[in-house]
């Protein structure tokens, strides 16, 4: 029995209880406490996983992908450890293991499923050796924290190089991700979308990666899915989009369900997930790939994905007096652009709520809002009846909308969250779409839970309200 580990876990569990007692989530503090008492806490807890440790990293979609993988694996009856709420720094990863441990520091789990922040990825890998790592995408994000995109990509690439052995699950459509197999020498399985899957309504977004990560020549594209994701080839070297072993196509949204056909190893199947958003097909394909690699049958993977429920702010759906409201986390230009596309893909009139904070977790620099294609909404603003801007930087959000061409009479500024959300819910649109940055998200969800009813999807595909 490891006495130091036991003391660290007991102290951490007490800290979690105190955190929740005072209104906190207890998603990071326990890890801080445990690591101060015993630095080997994470290492000792992680090695108790009987099968694989699977990590998910990259810029957008980490929480959703990790939770989809969890839905797939849990559907087989396997026991898991997961940082489900998205606390993805090393303290949050440590907390996840503590949450599943008993008071003696023992964990009963088959798989550990860990979403890991890109900047924390090297630190976590120094204490845990995963068997699989999923890399979804790389986009510019929180420049005051991460720095330029090249720095983030280099952090992940060099950390992977230091691993003696790992299998990579890579997005073939992102050149910054697709390079990881060649750059690290590790084995890899690729997932992606068939060419030209993007609906015609997609905006012309800023491309994050114009140049070949191998030789520096400007990449050529046959088509784009969004941002730099698409069918690329470098004219200066042999680097090009790898052929994905798992490929999605025929994407459609029916009600609150996103459907996609999947081609794998000369066979085909259909996946359905209870969420909106074109980009979520990539997350589902990553989960499908992981499930296939660990030996889960395709029909079981599809069944598991149908039980997936969005985490906080990942296209959560609520109903206010019978009217739907969707809560969506935004944190960078690409994610916000995809949120706008998702909004515009929904038929009918809308009221839009936008909460922008500039706390440390959000990033102090909010200049990224000027890289979001809000002008795309102007073309469809006859369907958007009202914009409600809230949060610490509500005025700046309203200013950005003004310069995008939104008429001033359609913009309302209410800095306080509760009255702002109530105004949006009671707005003239048949649907309310709520965008929120990190530190406004918990407050937004809490207010929505008090005012509205949350949709609960059932595995058989029928939604209910709780």
């Amino acid at each position: 029995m490891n006495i130091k580990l036991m003391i660290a876990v007991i102290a951490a569990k007490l800290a979690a209880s105190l955190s929740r007692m005072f209104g906190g989530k207890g998603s990071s503090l326990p890890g801080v406490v445990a690591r101060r008492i015993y630095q080997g806490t994470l290492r000792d807890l992680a090695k108790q996983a009987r099968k694989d440790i699977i990590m998910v990293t990259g810029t957008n979609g980490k929480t959703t992908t990790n939770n989809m993988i969890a839905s797939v694996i849990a559907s087989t009856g396997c026991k898991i450890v997961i940082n489900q709420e998205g606390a993805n720094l090393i303290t949050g990863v440590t907390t996840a293991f503590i949450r599943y441990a008993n008071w003696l520091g023992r964990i009963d789990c088959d798989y550990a499923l860990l979403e890991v922040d890109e900047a924390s990825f090297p630190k976590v890998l120094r204490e845990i050796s995963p068997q699989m790592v999923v890399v979804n995408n790389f986009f510019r994000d929180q420049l005051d924290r991460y720095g330029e995109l090249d720095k983030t990509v280099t952090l992940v690439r060099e950390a992977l190089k230091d691993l003696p052995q790992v299998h990579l699950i890579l997005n073939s459509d992102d050149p910054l991700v697709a390079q990881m197999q060649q750059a690290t020498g590790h084995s890899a399985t690729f997932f992606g979308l068939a060419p030209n899957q993007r609906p015609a309504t997609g905006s012309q977004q800023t491309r994050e990666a114009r140049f070949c990560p191998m030789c520096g020549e400007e990449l050529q594209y046959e088509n784009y899915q969004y941002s730099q994701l698409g069918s690329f080839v470098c004219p200066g070297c042999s680097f090009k989009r790898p052929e994905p072993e798992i490929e999605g196509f025929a994407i459609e949204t029916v009600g609150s369900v996103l459907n996609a056909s999947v081609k794998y190893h000369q066979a085909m199947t259909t996946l359905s997930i209870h969420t909106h958003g074109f980009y979520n097909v990539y997350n589902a394909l990553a989960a499908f790939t992981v499930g296939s690699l660990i030996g889960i049958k395709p029909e079981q993977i599809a069944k598991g994905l149908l039980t997936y429920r969005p985490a906080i702010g990942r296209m959560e759906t609520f109903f206010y007096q019978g009217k739907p409201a969707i809560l969506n986390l935004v944190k960078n230009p690409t994610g916000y652009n995809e949120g706008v596309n998702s909004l515009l893909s929904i038929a009918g009139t809308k009221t839009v709520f936008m909460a922008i904070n500039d706390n440390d977790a959000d990033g102090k620099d909010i200049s990224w809002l000027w890289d979001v294609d809000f002008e795309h909404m102007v073309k469809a603003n006859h369907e958007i009846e009202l914009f409600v801007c809230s949060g610490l930087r509500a005025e700046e959000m309203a200013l950005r909308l003004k310069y995008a061409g939104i008429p001033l009479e359609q913009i309302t500024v209410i800095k306080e969250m509760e009255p702002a959300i109530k105004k949006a819910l009671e707005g003239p649109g048949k649907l309310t779409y709520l965008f929120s940055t990190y530190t406004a998200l918990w407050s937004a969800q809490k207010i929505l839970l008090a005012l509205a009813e949350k949709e609960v999807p059932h595995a058989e595909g029928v939604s209910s309200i709780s």
Side-chain angles (χ1 to χ4, degrees):
M1 182 181 295
N2 188 329
I3 300 299
K4 287 184 178 179
L5 176 62
M6 187 174 68
I7 293 171
V9 168
I10 291 172
K13 285 182 174 292
L14 291 174
S17 297
L18 288 172
S19 175
R20 289 190 292 269
M21 189 182 302
F22 288 98
K25 295 292 180 180
S27 58
S28 293
L29 179 62
V32 173
V33 171
R35 294 177 66 81
R36 286 187 178 176
I37 293 172
Y38 177 47
Q39 277 291 317
T41 299
L42 177 56
R43 181 191 65 242
D44 288 358
L45 292 176
K47 68 184 182 183
Q48 296 182 48
R50 286 186 290 271
K51 295 184 179 179
D52 293 343
I53 295 175
I54 302 167
M55 291 187 186
V56 179
T57 194
T59 307
N60 290 345
K62 293 186 293 292
T63 301
T64 298
T65 300
N66 202 40
N67 288 350
M68 285 182 176
I69 294 170
S71 295
V72 169
I73 293 179
S75 73
T76 67
C78 289
K79 296 181 178 180
I80 62 173
V81 165
I82 180 173
N83 52 339
Q84 187 172 16
E85 295 171 342
N88 57 23
L89 304 182
I90 194 166
T91 51
V93 173
T94 305
T95 298
F97 283 99
I98 290 167
R99 184 174 295 168
Y100 288 87
N102 63 22
W103 292 92
L104 298 176
R106 293 172 181 164
I107 294 178
D108 177 20
C109 83
D110 298 300
Y111 294 91
L113 311 176
L114 307 173
E115 166 195 346
V116 184
D117 171 83
E118 307 95 288
S120 294
F121 191 63
K123 300 176 187 176
V124 175
L125 289 191
R126 283 195 284 269
E127 300 187 26
I128 301 177
S129 293
Q131 283 69 49
M132 296 184 194
V133 172
V134 179
V135 188
N136 259 353
N137 49 61
F138 287 114
F139 302 119
R140 190 159 36 99
D141 188 30
Q142 296 186 26
L143 291 177
D144 52 346
R145 177 168 171 249
Y146 291 104
E148 289 298 331
L149 183 56
D150 285 350
K151 179 182 176 182
T152 304
V153 175
T154 300
L155 276 173
V156 174
R157 184 179 62 234
E158 296 306 308
L160 288 172
K161 280 184 181 179
D162 289 340
L163 287 175
Q165 188 174 359
V166 68
H167 188 77
L168 306 180
I169 295 93
L170 303 176
N171 185 341
S172 67
D173 296 346
D174 187 342
L176 298 176
V177 173
Q179 65 159 316
M180 291 293 168
Q181 179 186 35
Q182 188 173 335
T184 65
H186 293 305
S187 61
T189 300
F190 290 92
F191 64 92
L193 292 178
N196 298 309
Q197 293 301 304
R198 187 64 187 182
T201 54
S203 64
Q204 295 299 312
Q205 300 176 7
T206 301
R207 310 302 178 191
E208 301 280 18
R210 290 178 54 202
F211 301 101
C212 176
M214 298 300 179
C215 73
E217 286 286 322
E218 186 168 0
L219 293 169
Q220 296 178 355
Y221 279 80
E222 293 181 8
N223 62 81
Y224 290 102
Q225 306 292 1
Y226 67 91
S227 192
Q228 79 269 12
L229 276 62
S231 298
F232 60 87
V233 62
C234 175
C237 68
S238 60
F239 182 61
K240 63 179 181 179
R241 173 186 180 261
E243 283 295 322
E245 289 94 330
I246 310 294
E247 188 173 61
F249 63 98
I251 300 157
E252 63 172 356
T253 301
V254 179
S256 62
V257 177
L258 183 64
N259 299 315
S261 297
V262 179
K263 182 171 66 176
Y264 63 97
H265 309 309
Q266 309 305 314
M268 289 196 347
T269 190
T270 300
L271 302 181
S272 297
I273 48 177
H274 284 277
T275 190
H276 296 89
F278 176 88
Y279 51 91
N280 275 316
V281 178
Y282 279 107
N283 302 327
L285 290 173
F288 185 95
T289 306
V290 170
S292 297
L293 288 170
I294 63 176
I296 302 175
K297 293 181 179 179
E299 57 270 24
Q300 183 64 46
I301 296 174
K303 183 178 178 181
L305 281 171
L306 198 55
T307 69
Y308 162 77
R309 299 181 182 183
I312 175 174
R314 277 70 175 187
M315 306 298 285
E316 277 184 292
T317 300
F318 300 82
F319 284 87
Y320 178 77
Q321 297 180 359
K323 183 168 66 175
I326 297 173
L327 178 60
N328 190 13
L329 169 69
V330 289
K331 58 175 184 167
N332 53 45
T334 298
Y336 217 139
N337 280 332
E338 284 305 295
V340 168
N341 282 321
S342 175
L343 162 70
L344 296 180
S345 71
I346 302 171
T349 58
K350 301 107 178 172
T351 300
V352 177
F353 169 88
M354 298 172 163
I356 304 295
N357 281 356
D358 62 349
N359 294 311
D360 288 339
D362 307 293
K364 292 289 186 182
D365 182 356
I366 64 164
S367 64
W368 61 271
L369 290 174
W370 294 88
D371 292 327
V372 181
D373 189 12
F374 293 115
E375 285 76 9
H376 188 48
M377 291 193 295
V378 176
K379 303 171 188 176
N381 75 350
H382 62 281
E383 291 188 338
I384 302 176
E385 305 281 348
L386 175 68
F387 293 86
V388 180
C389 301
S390 187
L392 299 176
R393 304 301 288 270
E395 294 89 351
E396 284 84 352
M397 184 69 253
L399 180 68
R400 176 67 185 94
L401 293 177
K402 172 191 172 184
Y403 277 95
I406 305 297
L408 289 177
E409 61 269 20
Q410 288 184 264
I411 304 171
T412 296
V413 175
I414 305 174
K415 289 181 73 77
E416 296 78 16
M417 291 280 287
E418 187 167 354
I421 289 177
K422 192 168 185 181
K423 174 78 173 178
L425 291 174
E426 294 176 349
K430 292 182 179 179
L431 174 140
T432 305
Y433 202 104
L434 302 98
F435 294 103
S436 174
T437 55
Y438 270 125
T439 62
L441 188 64
W442 296 103
S443 297
Q445 193 210 39
K446 185 177 180 180
I447 293 165
L448 283 168
L449 288 171
L451 295 174
E453 297 173 294
K454 185 174 178 179
E455 180 186 51
V456 179
H458 292 307
E460 63 270 22
V462 180
S463 297
S464 69
I465 310 298
S466 66

